[in-house]
C-alpha cells in the first residue's frame, strides 16, 4: 500500500546512455513533482505536473524530459547521461490548491560510471 | 531568489537531550513553511506552519514560526536514537499552480545512546 512508489531504486549506468525512472502515486493527488538531491543533500525541484499539464519547469537541461500519461504517473526520461547527473531523484505528489504537504517516494539513486 | 538556511548543519547529542533546530528564510510572498524528517529514504512530513506564534506539536516534536523575523525552530525533547536523521526545512512561496517548495540544506542530527 505504498503511497508514492518509484522504480528502479538503484540505477547504475554508463555516460551517454538514456534511462527512465518511473513514479506512481495512489493517493488520488492531482499534482506530481520530480526533485534532485545532490551529494550535499540539497533537494531541488525540477518539474511539476498538474493533471498531466506541465506547471513547473526549473532550469534543467533539456536532456531531462518528464512525461505524465495520467495524473497518477509521472516518469522522468534522461538522455545522454553525464557524470553530473549522479544524484538521488525523488518523486512527490500533493493535492494542489489546498495547504497539504507533499508526499515523497523513496528515491532512485542514479550513479553514472 | 528564494532561500532557506538551516543551522546547525550537523548536531550530535546524547539520548535524552533536548535539541533545537533552526530555519531562516527569504521568500517572495510566503505561503507556508514545512519540516520533513529524512532517514535513509523518503523525506517524511512533520509539520506545516502558516501562522506566526502558533506552536504545532506531535509527541516530543514541536515547531513554531516567526513570520516577522523570518524563521522557524523545530524542538525535539527527550531525544531517542530513532530521532537520528536529516531534518529538512522548506518554504512554499505563493505560486500559481503547483506547490513549489524551496528546501534548506538540512540539519544532520545524531543521537548517541
Amino acid at each position: 500500500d505504498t503511497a508514492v512508489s518509484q522504480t528502479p531504486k538503484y540505477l547504475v549506468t554508463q555516460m551517454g546512455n538514456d534511462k527512465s525512472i518511473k513514479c506512481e502515486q495512489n493517493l488520488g493527488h492531482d499534482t506530481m513533482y520530480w526533485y534532485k538531491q545532490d551529494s550535499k543533500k540539497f533537494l531541488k525541484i525540477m518539474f511539476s505536473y498538474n493533471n498531466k499539464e506541465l506547471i513547473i519547469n526549473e532550469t534543467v537541461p533539456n536532456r531531462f524530459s518528464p512525461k505524465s500519461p495520467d495524473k497518477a504517473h509521472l516518469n522522468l526520461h534522461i538522455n545522454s547521461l553525464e557524470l553530473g547527473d549522479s544524484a538521488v531523484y525523488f518523486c512527490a505528489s500533493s493535492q494542489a490548491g489546498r495547504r497539504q504537504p507533499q508526499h515523497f517516494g523513496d528515491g532512485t539513486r542514479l550513479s553514472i560510471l | 531568489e528564494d532561500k532557506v538556511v538551516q543551522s546547525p548543519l550537523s548536531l550530535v547529542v546524547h539520548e535524552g537531550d533536548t535539541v533545537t533546530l533552526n530555519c531562516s528564510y527569504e521568500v517572495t510572498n510566503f505561503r507556508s513553511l514545512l519540516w520533513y524528517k529524512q532517514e535513509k529514504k523518503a523525506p517524511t512530513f512533520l509539520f506545516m506552519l502558516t501562522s506566526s506564534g502558533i506552536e504545532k506539536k506531535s509527541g516530543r516534536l514541536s515547531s513554531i514560526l516567526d513570520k516577522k523575523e523570518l524563521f522557524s525552530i523545530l524542538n525535539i525533547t527527550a531525544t531517542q536514537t530513532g530521532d537520528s536523521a536529516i531534518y529538512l526545512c522548506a518554504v512554499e512561496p505563493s505560486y500559481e499552480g503547483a506547490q513549489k517548495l524551496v528546501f534548506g540544506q538540512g540539519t544532520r542530527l545524531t543521537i548517541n545512546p
Side-chain angles (χ1 to χ4, degrees), chain B residues 36-75:
Chain B
Y36 284 84
K37 177 183 181 182
Q38 185 176 22
E39 296 176 86
K40 290 182 181 174
K41 297 183 178 178
T44 53
F45 171 74
L46 295 174
F47 299 111
M48 175 183 273
L49 302 150
T50 56
S51 302
S52 275
I54 298 175
E55 186 184 51
K56 291 272 181 107
K57 200 169 168 64
S58 175
R60 295 175 295 101
L61 278 67
S62 63
S63 183
I64 198 159
L65 173 67
D66 186 329
K67 287 165 74 173
K68 184 179 175 186
E69 300 297 329
L70 308 182
F71 78 90
S72 172
I73 59 171
L74 175 68
N75 276 323

Side-chain angles (χ1 to χ4, degrees), chain A:
Chain A
D1 59 343
T2 306
V4 182
S5 59
Q6 298 178 224
T7 54
K9 292 190 187 330
Y10 300 95
L11 192 48
V12 181
T13 190
Q14 302 227 329
M15 248 179 15
N17 284 349
D18 303 338
K19 290 293 177 186
S20 291
I21 307 171
K22 295 186 176 181
C23 179
E24 176 181 5
Q25 55 94 5
N26 62 4
L27 296 166
H29 290 161
D30 56 9
T31 306
M32 296 183 71
Y33 310 80
W34 278 109
Y35 286 86
K36 179 181 180 181
Q37 188 173 43
D38 60 23
S39 56
K40 294 182 180 179
K41 297 297 183 183
F42 260 115
L43 263 170
K44 288 188 181 175
I45 191 160
M46 301 171 69
F47 301 104
S48 173
Y49 270 73
N50 179 269
N51 278 321
K52 302 193 294 175
E53 182 183 348
L54 183 64
I55 299 294
I56 296 173
N57 185 352
E58 292 295 286
T59 309
V60 176
N62 58 15
R63 298 181 295 103
F64 290 78
S65 53
K67 284 190 171 50
S68 181
D70 56 62
K71 71 175 192 178
H73 295 83
L74 180 62
N75 303 323
L76 183 65
H77 188 77
I78 316 170
N79 288 328
S80 303
L81 282 158
E82 299 178 358
L83 288 175
D85 298 333
S86 294
V88 182
Y89 292 84
F90 284 96
C91 177
S93 72
S94 71
Q95 192 64 24
R98 304 176 189 176
R99 284 185 173 167
Q100 295 293 325
Q102 292 181 20
H103 294 264
F104 285 80
D106 283 345
T108 295
R109 183 174 293 277
L110 174 62
S111 299
I112 310 300
L113 303 177

Side-chain angles (χ1 to χ4, degrees), chain B:
Chain B
E1 187 183 334
D2 300 328
K3 190 177 174 183
V4 177
V5 177
Q6 293 184 242
S7 64
L9 294 181
S10 180
L11 185 57
V12 181
V13 299
H14 289 292
E15 208 168 15
D17 288 350
T18 293
V19 298
T20 298
L21 310 184
N22 303 295
C23 175
S24 63
Y25 62 89
E26 296 171 21
V27 65
T28 309
N29 298 323
F30 174 90
R31 186 170 179 179
S32 65
L33 183 144
L34 297 90
W35 284 96
Y36 284 84
K37 177 183 181 182
Q38 185 176 22
E39 296 176 86
K40 290 182 181 174
K41 297 183 178 178
T44 53
F45 171 74
L46 295 174
F47 299 111
M48 175 183 273
L49 302 150
T50 56
S51 302
S52 275
I54 298 175
E55 186 184 51
K56 291 272 181 107
K57 200 169 168 64
S58 175
R60 295 175 295 101
L61 278 67
S62 63
S63 183
I64 198 159
L65 173 67
D66 186 329
K67 287 165 74 173
K68 184 179 175 186
E69 300 297 329
L70 308 182
F71 78 90
S72 172
I73 59 171
L74 175 68
N75 276 323
I76 309 176
T77 59
T79 51
Q80 301 171 358
T81 54
D83 295 326
S84 294
I86 295 173
Y87 289 83
L88 298 168
C89 173
V91 293
E92 180 195 3
S94 278
Y95 187 82
E96 277 192 38
Q99 180 192 48
K100 178 181 176 180
L101 294 181
V102 178
F103 280 87
Q105 71 273 52
T107 293
R108 183 181 292 274
L109 176 64
T110 304
I111 311 296
N112 288 327

